[in-house]
Amino acid sequence: MPTEATTMPPKPLLAVRELHTHFPIKSGLLQRTTGWFRAVDGVSFHIAKGETLGLVGESGCGKTTVGRTLLRLIPRTSGEVIFDGKDVYALGGPELKAMRRRMQIIFQDPASSLNPRMRIINILGEPLVVHGICTDKSQLRDRVEKLLVRCGMPKAAADRYPHEFSGGQRQRIGIARALALEPSFIVCDEPTSALDVSIQAQILNLLKDLQRDFGLSYLFISHDMAVIQHMCDRIAVMYKGKIVEEGQKLDIINRAQHKYTQSLLSAVPTARPGPKKQRVVFEGGAV
């Protein structure tokens, strides 16, 4: 007979509860606050170890703000972010530094996320030095070169500058930087939207390989439902700062309940010949 301990579901690695992030609207000569823009308006979800949750929605719906609020890159207005049993917003000092090591982000635009004045060895090596992982130059170079090779780049890339690489190569460097501190959770903020279609598949496959090898958990943010279908275990659909639908990937794809989700799915192009897909038009309005 199973005990209570064996029947209890495992605790999620990340739990977000009623997260709100509001920005002030200022107007007038004195720039007084006259209102608030609710970029994130009561979002809740969880992510298990080794799982990918896809956060999908149109541009401006609040997806990126959610990801950055989780990492404390943007301050929350209210709500809870619990990572591995600890309240992220209650941490400070050494505990906060340790948490930042375990939670990383891959930014959307690889060109603007890499310092153009720094060589790649310094870009990847900086977090290793800050967190005291590498103490001498030979150890640092060895670690950086291994990261580059694991992400499909040559060792010689360590001595070059970001502008010397293509968009896909720069994104591989961005992924290597996110991996440098051996995190357990990564926010992937539209990591392929700035890349050519031919390069997108390579980056997505690299992310899946890294997840398998290192047991990573992803919050995968995208406006592209086809990419979300390929990458994610579960899908959360976001509209105007709220999650309007969430569930297992196949349930959302095959049995979407909200008309906004149906509209996103109907916009995914198909290569199969046959009758033209019927578009679902979502007019907006109340969530």
Side-chain angles (χ1 to χ4, degrees), residues 1 12 43 58 67 80 91 123 143 169 182 186 190-191 214 268:
M1 183 174 179
V43 165
E58 63 192 356
E80 289 185 315
L91 299 177
I123 291 174
R143 184 74 173 255
Q169 290 174 322
E182 300 180 350
I186 298 178
E190 304 207 43
F214 300 110
V268 177

Side-chain angles (χ1 to χ4, degrees), residues 79-156:
E80 289 185 315
V81 180
I82 309 298
F83 180 74
D84 203 12
K86 295 181 179 180
D87 185 346
V88 170
Y89 277 86
L91 299 177
E95 285 187 313
L96 178 59
K97 186 176 180 180
M99 182 278 295
R100 291 196 181 283
R101 178 174 173 176
R102 298 189 61 199
M103 301 175 75
Q104 292 292 309
I105 185 170
I106 300 168
F107 293 99
Q108 178 178 359
D109 184 4
S112 61
S113 65
L114 302 176
N115 190 331
R117 297 170 180 264
M118 294 175 67
R119 296 181 188 272
I120 303 306
I121 189 170
N122 296 323
I123 291 174
L124 300 189
E126 186 175 41
L128 297 171
V129 173
V130 168
H131 286 267
I133 296 172
C134 294
T135 55
D136 61 73
K137 289 185 177 181
S138 61
Q139 183 186 19
L140 181 68
R141 174 168 285 276
D142 181 63
R143 184 74 173 255
V144 167
E145 288 179 348
K146 286 180 178 177
L147 283 168
L148 288 169
V149 170
R150 184 60 190 85
C151 293
M153 295 292 291
K155 291 181 180 181

Side-chain angles (χ1 to χ4, degrees), residues 149-199:
V149 170
R150 184 60 190 85
C151 293
M153 295 292 291
K155 291 181 180 181
D159 296 312
R160 295 163 66 184
Y161 289 93
H163 74 269
E164 299 179 63
F165 299 98
S166 67
Q169 290 174 322
R170 282 194 290 257
Q171 194 59 290
R172 289 177 184 272
I173 293 166
I175 293 170
R177 179 176 59 185
L179 283 177
L181 297 177
E182 300 180 350
S184 48
F185 171 72
I186 298 178
V187 174
C188 303
D189 185 11
E190 304 207 43
T192 60
S193 64
L195 306 177
D196 293 339
V197 175
S198 59
I199 305 300

Side-chain angles (χ1 to χ4, degrees), residues 33-45:
T33 300
T34 56
W36 294 88
F37 175 68
R38 298 172 179 266
V40 179
D41 195 17
V43 165
S44 299
F45 59 84

